[in-house]
Amino acid sequence: MPQPTHPAHGSTPAEAVARGGESAAAGVAPRTVEDSRPADPLGWRWLILCCSLLGAGWSALVLRAPDQGKWVSVNAPHASQEVGAATGALLCSVALTGALMIARARVFGRRSRAVEWRGPLRAAELEFRPLAALPWMAFAMLSPAAILNPARMVSVVVASWLLASSDWRWISGRLGSAARRLGSARAAWGVLIIAYVSMAAHLLRLANLRIDSLNARTFDLGIYDNIFFNTLHGDFLGCSMIKGGVHTSAHFDPILGLLTPLYALAPGARTVVAMQALWVLSGAFPAMMLARRSVGHLAALTVGLAWLCYPSVHGVVLHDMHSYALVAPCIVWMVLLGHDGRWRAYALVTLLTLAIREDAAFCVMGVGAWLIAARMQTGRGVATIVMAAIYLAVVKVAVMPDAGLLMENSDEVYAYANRFRRLIPEGGGATDAAISVATNPAFVVGHVISRQKLASFVILLVPLAGLPLLGGRRLVLAVWGAAFIYLASKSSLSYPLVHYTSALYPALFAALPAGMVALDRWIARRPAHPGESHLRRHFAARWVLASAVLAGCSWGVLRENRAFALHTKTPWSLSDSQAKTAAWLEAHSQELGVSEAVTASNRLGPFFSARPEMYLPAQRQDTPWIIVHREELSKADRRWIQGLVASRAIVRVDGLGPITLYRRAAARASR
């Protein structure tokens, strides 16, 4: 009867014993079955263990946050006190955490009846590993550094990895069946719906606070409010504040007409931001459904939650209103429906996406390119690209006043070539940009690889643990968004919190599930230590969730965050004077009535834009009412107002602080 072969060495037990004897005779320790185990990782774990012991004390030091600018003049005379406090905090942290860790290791030792101390210590270190993440979390959330600061990025990455690689069975064991039920489809949907409603309420509250604190602007919230109002009353895409009196001078976005019935329920700027918030946040649902095609319900739920925590989503929702922001959920829906082969629904969503804005056609072409690259439906991919190209051409030639992709500046048209000025010479257009890219690649690479643009790209990746980079062919979806954002010369296009990122971040979410699968497969091929195989399950999902939550706290608005910076501040509460000013403006907006034309300065525009005619001071219109905020007027606007007052063309009616309301003394001249 043949002897069984040892799986690790390919030899019989007798041969193994013989080799062991020969090795002993030669002075070499014989190989044993344990030699097939992975090398003991406690060596590098010593560093994490030490960080866990010091974590609480380090966090206390970060929370103290001494002012570095005043260190010499203020802190240096008391340096001994600072050193003493730091030493005491670290010693207390080591003593307390060390005692708890030893006690926990003894419990593990009794349960496993381990003779050696390394196994129980490894188990205790995994449970106490979150303490090592505390200093990194404290810095990422509380540092006053700017959003593009590299230290913030490193802190989020390190803290999220430490949290994801920790052993959380001491929590999941206590939750029992509730934790297991989260893996079901019904529970996952329930959790995501609750999270969606909660995040929508949170962001709507902040958006309304931005309006009431005068941090919202006529550009672009007041403009879109005016477009909705005029569309509701029969003037399709009409707007009194932009060139030509119609939005086609800048963009063609018929989606606004489809949303007008919702706007009609409560006309005003607050309804506009509410529609944008609910639409953009809804992308969490197709993101979870798409992830479910590759991973389990629990892992797919983390993708949906990551969408709600994503800093760019927060910035897009709170950055006034832009129709391009509505592209993001539609792109994920197109990928989902294309993946499932539901082509009728795919065609409807494609038409809806094209209706969002004329340049959304490039995002649609990206989905068509993915269908071709993934070899799923080459014919439908080509049809998608052709349909988007035809739609863009028809809109440019037949609807918009300028057929050029970037248009030329005039009294009737806004130009966008200046946003790519380093690639386009003065007076040039999209063709010149393409020539620059094709003929001078070295210059283009240097133009793209700048510190700000690299930092912006990293901020888009870090909340997703960088896993979209492992997304394979789905990265084709990101080509257009990356080119549009990072070839631009204007820094605002690559800023990670503005609506332009809507061309890129949905592609990253579409590639995320494939990246999660790739990481989990790589981990599964690695040798595991005894008792730690459970840490391999859903590691990618845990890392994505930890990264998204920490990024939402560090760069987004999951917490009050000084680093979250749009073109204006986002307050979390109103002072008494701000609340009084908002109530005063609301009252006067109602008193004037929607039929009265108003000239309002930029900060005040969202209170008065729901009417047929509202103008900015720079437009110099002879409206019956003028309301201005003194601190934001340019010198030319101040001289204009002073001239009208001096000539008694307008009279002061009311005022509050720097805000003054004027009424035209004579009857309004006909135009």
Side-chain angles (χ1 to χ4, degrees), residues 464-484:
L464 306 180
L467 297 184
L469 295 178
L470 305 177
R473 290 189 176 97
R474 284 191 184 173
L475 286 176
V476 173
L477 295 162
V479 171
W480 157 248
F484 171 62

Side-chain angles (χ1 to χ4, degrees), residues 124-434:
E125 181 270 322
L126 285 171
E127 282 197 355
F128 282 83
R129 185 172 289 186
L131 292 178
L134 285 179
W136 303 95
M137 294 169 59
F139 179 82
M141 295 185 198
L142 304 177
S143 171
I147 186 173
L148 299 179
N149 185 276
R152 277 184 176 273
M153 306 174 198
V154 173
S155 298
V156 172
V157 171
V158 174
S160 62
W161 181 85
L162 289 171
L163 293 174
S165 60
S166 301
D167 190 348
W168 296 97
R169 284 186 299 179
W170 61 279
I171 292 181
S172 60
R174 286 170 173 77
L175 294 176
S177 60
R180 290 190 293 272
R181 282 197 296 268
L182 283 177
S184 67
R186 182 177 298 178
W189 274 104
V191 170
L192 188 61
I193 290 172
I194 293 173
Y196 170 81
V197 173
S198 302
M199 184 58 67
H202 173 56
L203 292 181
L204 285 176
R205 173 181 170 273
L206 294 180
N208 285 320
L209 286 174
R210 281 178 57 84
I211 295 174
D212 290 338
S213 63
L214 308 187
N215 281 295
R217 294 290 189 262
T218 299
F219 281 88
D220 290 291
L221 179 55
I223 286 176
Y224 276 96
D225 185 22
N226 191 248
I227 292 172
F228 273 113
F229 187 91
N230 282 304
T231 300
L232 177 63
H233 292 84
D235 184 9
F236 185 65
L237 300 185
C239 181
S240 59
M241 288 165 279
I242 58 179
K243 295 179 178 181
V246 63
H247 199 222
T248 52
S249 61
H251 297 293
F252 179 62
D253 30 22
I255 189 70
L256 303 182
L258 298 178
L259 294 176
T260 297
L262 294 176
Y263 176 83
L265 298 175
R270 301 178 196 277
T271 301
V272 174
V273 295
M275 290 191 296
Q276 177 176 250
L278 295 174
W279 183 296
V280 173
L281 291 174
S282 70
F285 299 109
M288 185 180 79
M289 295 167 66
L290 181 61
R292 183 63 188 92
R293 275 44 177 182
S294 304
V295 297
H297 290 295
L298 190 59
L301 173 61
T302 63
V303 175
L305 294 176
W307 182 285
L308 300 178
C309 297
Y310 200 63
S312 294
V313 169
H314 300 172
V316 167
V317 168
L318 295 176
H319 190 213
D320 293 339
M321 166 66 189
H322 301 87
S323 57
Y324 198 70
L326 309 181
V327 165
C330 294
I331 295 302
V332 185
W333 274 114
M334 288 184 66
V335 176
L336 171 65
L337 297 171
H339 179 276
D340 292 349
R342 297 163 58 186
W343 299 113
R344 290 185 180 179
Y346 173 87
L348 290 176
V349 175
T350 300
L351 293 176
L352 183 65
T353 306
L354 292 173
I356 289 174
R357 217 168 81 170
E358 79 286 350
D359 49 351
F362 292 105
C363 296
V364 172
M365 293 179 194
V367 178
W370 163 69
L371 288 174
I372 297 172
R375 300 177 183 176
M376 297 177 61
Q377 286 286 340
T378 302
R380 286 188 168 91
V382 172
T384 299
I385 294 174
V386 171
M387 180 172 65
I390 292 175
Y391 174 82
L392 178 62
V394 170
V395 167
K396 280 292 182 181
V397 173
V399 179
M400 300 184 71
D402 191 320
L405 284 177
L406 299 177
M407 301 192 291
E408 295 183 6
N409 191 42
S410 69
D411 293 338
E412 302 293 326
V413 174
Y414 292 92
Y416 294 97
N418 61 331
R419 301 185 180 186
F420 300 87
R421 182 54 62 206
R422 295 196 68 193
L423 301 179
I424 301 174
E426 189 68 34
T431 303
D432 299 280

Side-chain angles (χ1 to χ4, degrees), residues 46 55 75 87 127 158 171 201 269 278 313 352 389 391 402 472 486 491 507 547 557 564-565 625 646 664:
W46 279 115
N75 294 328
T87 304
E127 282 197 355
V158 174
I171 292 181
L278 295 174
V313 169
L352 183 65
Y391 174 82
D402 191 320
Y486 299 115
S491 59
S547 299
V557 290
F564 182 81
W625 299 93
R664 190 165 292 276

Side-chain angles (χ1 to χ4, degrees), residues 23 83 121 157 204 230 242 249 261 267 274 288 415 438 443 514 576 609 632 655:
S23 301
V83 172
L121 186 59
V157 171
L204 285 176
N230 282 304
I242 58 179
S249 61
M288 185 180 79
F443 170 79
D576 292 339
S609 50
E632 65 172 336

Side-chain angles (χ1 to χ4, degrees), residues 117 131 228 281 424 455 554 576 594 596 620 641 659 661:
W117 58 272
L131 292 178
F228 273 113
L281 291 174
I424 301 174
S554 180
D576 292 339
V594 297
E596 295 281 358
R620 303 290 191 266
I641 295 291
I659 303 174
L661 174 64

Side-chain angles (χ1 to χ4, degrees), residues 503-558:
L504 180 55
Y505 76 79
L508 300 181
F509 271 91
L512 176 60
M516 295 170 66
V517 171
L519 177 62
D520 283 337
R521 285 178 178 172
W522 180 81
I523 292 175
R525 292 193 295 266
R526 305 285 296 175
H529 235 284
E532 298 181 9
S533 58
H534 65 284
L535 296 177
R536 296 165 171 260
R537 295 186 60 204
H538 306 305
F539 175 78
R542 294 199 306 272
W543 196 9
V544 168
L545 183 60
S547 299
V549 172
L550 289 178
C553 293
S554 180
W555 297 308
V557 290
L558 290 185

